[in-house]
Structures are given as structure tokens and as C-alpha cells.
Amino acid sequence: MKKGLEKFVDLFNHVLCFFGVIFYITFVVCVLVQVISRNFLPSAPSWTEEAARYSFIYMVAFGCAVAVHRNEFVNVEFLHDALEPKFPMANKVIGLAIKLLLLGFTAYILIFSVRPFAFIKFQMLSTAMSLPMQYVYFSMVLMFGFMVIAYVCEILLTVLNWNEKEGK
């Protein structure tokens, strides 16, 4: 089960990174078009600023779940450093408890905040691109949905690794 879960997490991260890179490239191209057109053309296209903003939003939406797996979110290490010499098991318990709390918090935001908010905005249009805002706000549903999946996988991997190390 552990190998299958690790393969899933690896594939999940590769897919998220692929789409994150696509939106990053789109972001860079839009910003370059905006900068070049402001400096060298008589007028700058109005859509580039909006497209860059939406590309950045989607890039973050795909990148957050990858950050969960790579443990790249900011954390405080002083509790870990203080407990490690005396209570090595406490760090594992605290780490698992933190992941469970973050899973609960992320799932709560997805269910009770993001989903109703994102789906209310279906009728709105963006100013410059006349893009339905449902596509922009759907990035929040993706982000928190991917983060729920990522935290569930991380919790399962933590428990599987924990049992494996204790069994030896």
C-alpha cells in the first residue's frame, strides 16, 4: 500500500507541477508583453494585467499542494528542537496532530467557504477580458481540493512510515 501511495503522490506532484509551470510561463509572457508594450508601443493591451493576475492565482493554486508534500510551508522549529532530545516520540505525535488540524481546516474552508463563494460568482465578468469570473474563483476550489488530497496522502504516509519504523 505504501509503494502505491508513494507512486500516486509522485504522479500527483508531477501533474500539479506541470500545470503550475504552464501558468508560470503564461504569467511571465503576459508581464513581458505588458512591459514591452508600455515602453515601445503607443498603447499597452488592457488584457495583459488581468491575464497575468489570473495566471498567478492558478500557479499558486497548483503549487500549494506540492508545497504540502515537500514540507515547504513556513513552520516553527523551536518546539521540535526542544522536544527532540528528551521526547523523540512527541515530535511524531505533534507532527501528525498538526497535519490533522491542517486537513480539517483546509476541508472546512473548501466546504463551507470556498465552494459557496466561488459558485455565487458565476454571472460576473472580468473587466478587461470579459472572462466569466467562475473560472477565476474556481481556482480556490482547486487549491483547497488539492490541499485536502495532499494532506490526506501526507497523513497516510506519516502513519505508514511511523508503523514501519516502530516495527523494526
Side-chain angles (χ1 to χ4, degrees):
M1 177 171 168
K2 182 182 170 191
K3 292 287 184 193
L5 184 59
E6 287 174 345
K7 285 182 181 179
F8 171 77
V9 168
D10 192 41
L11 177 65
F12 186 62
N13 280 342
H14 283 305
V15 170
L16 292 176
C17 285
F18 173 78
F19 284 108
V21 167
I22 295 296
F23 284 105
Y24 176 71
I25 291 169
T26 306
F27 171 75
V28 169
V29 167
C30 290
V31 170
L32 284 174
V33 167
Q34 181 71 9
V35 168
I36 291 169
S37 62
R38 280 186 182 177
N39 290 321
F40 300 112
L41 298 177
S43 66
S46 61
W47 58 269
T48 55
E49 186 178 336
E50 245 180 43
R53 184 180 321 122
Y54 300 153
S55 298
F56 183 78
I57 289 169
Y58 269 92
M59 179 182 63
V60 170
F62 285 107
C64 282
V66 176
V68 168
H69 291 298
R70 294 183 181 173
N71 199 21
E72 292 182 351
F73 283 123
V74 175
N75 58 31
V76 179
E77 296 287 330
F78 75 90
L79 187 59
H80 178 278
D81 294 341
L83 291 175
E84 184 66 38
K86 297 177 186 173
F87 308 104
M89 198 64 179
N91 284 328
K92 293 179 181 181
V93 172
I94 290 172
L96 184 61
I98 289 170
K99 288 175 185 173
L100 286 167
L101 282 170
L102 288 171
L103 171 63
F105 180 71
T106 306
Y108 179 83
I109 291 174
L110 176 65
I111 294 167
F112 294 109
S113 299
V114 169
R115 192 175 53 88
F117 175 75
F119 293 122
I120 287 173
K121 306 294 184 184
F122 270 24
Q123 302 302 321
M124 295 174 59
L125 295 176
S126 66
T127 308
M129 295 172 55
S130 296
L131 179 74
M133 291 301 288
Q134 67 190 20
Y135 300 119
V136 177
Y137 287 107
F138 187 69
S139 65
M140 295 187 311
V141 175
L142 285 178
M143 180 176 74
F144 286 104
F146 290 150
M147 287 181 71
V148 165
I149 294 168
Y151 277 120
V152 167
C153 291
E154 281 301 303
I155 290 167
L156 290 173
L157 284 172
T158 300
V159 169
L160 290 172
N161 286 335
W162 195 349
N163 289 337
E164 183 180 282
K165 290 177 184 174
E166 283 186 2
K168 290 183 178 178

